[in-house]
Amino acid sequence: QQVQQAAYDAFDTSTANVVPVEQPAYSSPYRPFDDTPPYNLFGSFALPALPLDLIPPAIADYSADQGELIGADPAAMALFCLGVAGACIDDRLKIQVKRHDPTWTESARLWCGVIGDPSVKKSPLLSKALAPAFAIDKKWRQETAEAKAEWLKECENTPKGEDEPTISAGKRLLVNDATVEKVGDILSKCEPRGMLSYQDELSGWLASMDAYKGGAGGKDKGSWLEAFNGGAKFFDRISRGELYIENWSVSVLGGIQPSVIQNYAQTTNHDGMLQRFILLYAQQPKKLGQDRLPQPFTRENYNELIEHLAMLELSPNPVKLSEDAHRHREALERKVHALVCNHPNPHLTAALGKWSGLYARLLLVWHCCDSHGKKKYPTAFGLPLGIRICILLSKFCRSLTCVKY
């Protein structure tokens, strides 16, 4: 077991500078299950602790402080905060994943879910993470309503025979308990920056897609799956006519109970929905919440970060990786590819197959967070940031993914 665990945990950064030898997938030299004893199905698997030193400082400090105050897992708080951070970044800010392929770009859109019983206090953590997003959304809704009122006045004053002025696109950040049709209507009237759908319990969101009816899923599920990728979308209905959405993009954030997610996985035969999520098992709190004042400036720093991300200026060019960062990305991809080629679980390999895009999205979130407080927005990643994401994925997210499947 120790040998097998070491194979999963090891991320040798020296391999980033080694040119891989081209081999067929079936002859990959990396075989993490060879010469290892059978896994004890009746034993326990200790989940890794989230290394907060790899998380953007404003999020890490706020998560640690709120975890102590509430008496909850700070890792769950950190995942909620990262989901909010990614949703606040405009989808038009993109990262180019490869050196020479400008057609493959990713936005900072993340789907994050915290698994745990009600006792792990998912709802209070989610509320704390969303607080600055609610303030931004309220401001944008007011601005949109005022702009619409001004537009209506201009339309009333337009002389007959002349074209009415065009209404400007609105801004919206949050949506909750909305149908696909309503989300499409909102997105069609707003800037193509994407929105965040937050759910206190993801079970209701999944059930709205007819997720439990024989595994076939409802007609809405395909649309939600497409929202993970973003891009243009048309809705053609006889009664409502044609609806064009420049960017069908929705980030998703919420909690879910273990029994519900197990039932969903069994009844849907892993339809690709769960593979889109970063899922974290929230640990039971070992201590009661503390009755003290919050640490100075932790909440203020987090609120300022979220507001900074929401107000980032757009760039006509995508962010690009430095050469050192590319080598570490390729080293991680080789390790994941070797695991995919040798693992017998198709659901696990399907989840790992999305890690190339996930790596790029996380890089963009970290990059934008690191730009907070800097006078100039950088347009290239350096080596330290690339290593942080590689370690986070290889040592933390991979273990959680293997346990999940």
Side-chain angles (χ1 to χ4, degrees):
Q1 292 177 352
Q2 293 177 352
V3 174
Q4 180 176 343
Q5 188 62 42
Y8 276 120
D9 289 342
F11 180 75
D12 183 6
T13 56
S14 63
T15 60
N17 298 317
V18 177
V19 178
V21 178
E22 294 292 335
Q23 296 185 8
Y26 58 82
S27 64
S28 172
Y30 182 75
R31 301 190 182 281
F33 300 104
D34 286 356
D35 301 323
T36 58
Y39 186 73
N40 182 11
L41 296 177
F42 302 98
S44 60
F45 189 95
L47 293 174
L50 176 67
L52 288 178
D53 58 317
L54 300 177
I55 305 298
I59 293 178
D61 295 342
Y62 184 59
S63 300
D65 188 48
Q66 291 299 317
E68 291 182 356
L69 287 171
I70 298 174
D73 188 356
M77 182 68 181
L79 184 62
F80 281 147
C81 292
L82 288 172
V84 173
C88 287
I89 300 172
D90 197 311
D91 270 13
R92 291 168 287 185
L93 283 173
K94 297 182 179 296
I95 175 175
Q96 181 176 318
V97 183
K98 293 186 175 181
R99 298 177 184 85
H100 309 299
D101 184 5
T103 62
W104 183 13
T105 59
E106 295 283 351
S107 300
R109 186 185 317 104
L110 299 175
W111 286 18
C112 303
V114 173
I115 305 171
D117 295 318
S119 59
V120 301
K121 303 178 181 178
K122 302 185 297 294
S123 297
L125 295 176
L126 179 60
S127 177
K128 296 283 187 179
L130 284 168
F134 276 115
I136 295 171
D137 186 65
K138 180 180 179 181
K139 178 183 176 182
W140 286 357
R141 289 191 191 215
Q142 291 176 345
E143 293 175 351
T144 301
E146 293 172 359
K148 184 177 181 179
E150 290 293 329
W151 173 76
L152 290 174
K153 289 182 180 179
E154 294 178 2
C155 291
E156 292 176 357
N157 298 327
T158 301
K160 291 184 178 180
E162 295 186 9
D163 294 334
E164 294 183 347
T166 303
I167 187 172
S168 59
K171 296 180 73 173
R172 179 85 174 262
L173 179 58
L174 300 177
V175 65
N176 174 259
D177 193 22
T179 63
V180 165
E181 287 76 11
K182 184 58 180 178
V183 172
D185 179 63
I186 296 172
L187 287 173
S188 67
K189 300 174 182 177
C190 293
E191 294 181 0
R193 59 175 298 123
M195 292 193 308
L196 170 62
S197 175
Y198 69 94
Q199 314 290 333
D200 189 64
E201 285 291 342
L202 288 169
S203 57
W205 181 69
L206 294 171
S208 68
M209 309 175 202
D210 299 328
Y212 302 108
K213 296 182 179 179
K219 62 180 182 180
D220 294 342
K221 182 179 293 185
S223 296
W224 282 117
L225 293 175
E226 292 174 4
F228 178 80
N229 299 318
K233 184 175 179 61
F234 290 93
F235 282 97
D236 295 316
R237 301 289 187 269
I238 294 178
S239 59
R240 299 182 181 181
E242 179 182 301
L243 181 66
Y244 171 72
I245 302 166
E246 183 178 351
N247 184 29
W248 175 248
S249 167
V250 181
S251 301
V252 180
L253 189 65
I256 192 168
Q257 296 186 29
S259 58
V260 176
I261 194 171
Q262 290 172 2
N263 183 43
Y264 180 86
Q266 294 172 359
T267 56
T268 59
N269 195 28
H270 293 274
D271 54 5
M273 180 68 73
L274 295 183
Q275 285 83 352
R276 285 165 164 75
F277 275 88
I278 305 175
L279 292 172
L280 180 144
Y281 286 86
Q283 302 299 291
Q284 291 289 344
K286 298 180 180 179
K287 297 180 180 179
L288 293 175
Q290 299 180 7
D291 186 4
R292 61 166 175 81
L293 292 174
Q295 291 292 339
F297 307 115
T298 55
R299 184 177 64 178
E300 290 78 4
N301 291 341
Y302 172 68
N303 291 347
E304 290 176 1
L305 171 65
I306 297 303
E307 184 174 356
H308 162 76
L309 297 176
M311 305 302 175
L312 278 174
E313 294 184 3
L314 300 180
S315 172
N317 301 315
V319 178
K320 297 183 179 180
L321 280 68
S322 67
E323 187 59 32
D324 285 335
H326 270 300
R327 285 198 291 268
H328 281 271
R329 175 187 64 81
E330 291 163 348
L332 178 66
E333 285 192 348
R334 289 197 295 271
K335 290 178 179 293
V336 173
H337 176 71
L339 182 60
V340 168
C341 292
N342 291 278
H343 202 288
N345 189 327
H347 308 310
L348 173 62
T349 57
L352 294 176
K354 296 186 178 297
W355 273 28
S356 294
L358 175 60
Y359 173 83
R361 295 185 185 198
L362 291 175
L363 269 179
L364 186 56
V365 173
W366 260 248
H367 176 63
C368 292
C369 288
D370 284 356
S371 71
H372 183 216
K374 297 181 180 179
K375 295 182 179 180
K376 185 178 180 181
Y377 179 74
T379 57
F381 287 103
L383 177 61
L385 187 59
I387 294 178
R388 284 162 60 190
I389 303 300
C390 284
I391 296 175
L392 180 69
L393 287 174
S394 62
K395 286 193 173 183
F396 180 71
C397 293
R398 182 169 59 181
S399 297
L400 292 178
T401 304
C402 291
V403 171
K404 181 177 65 177
Y405 290 102

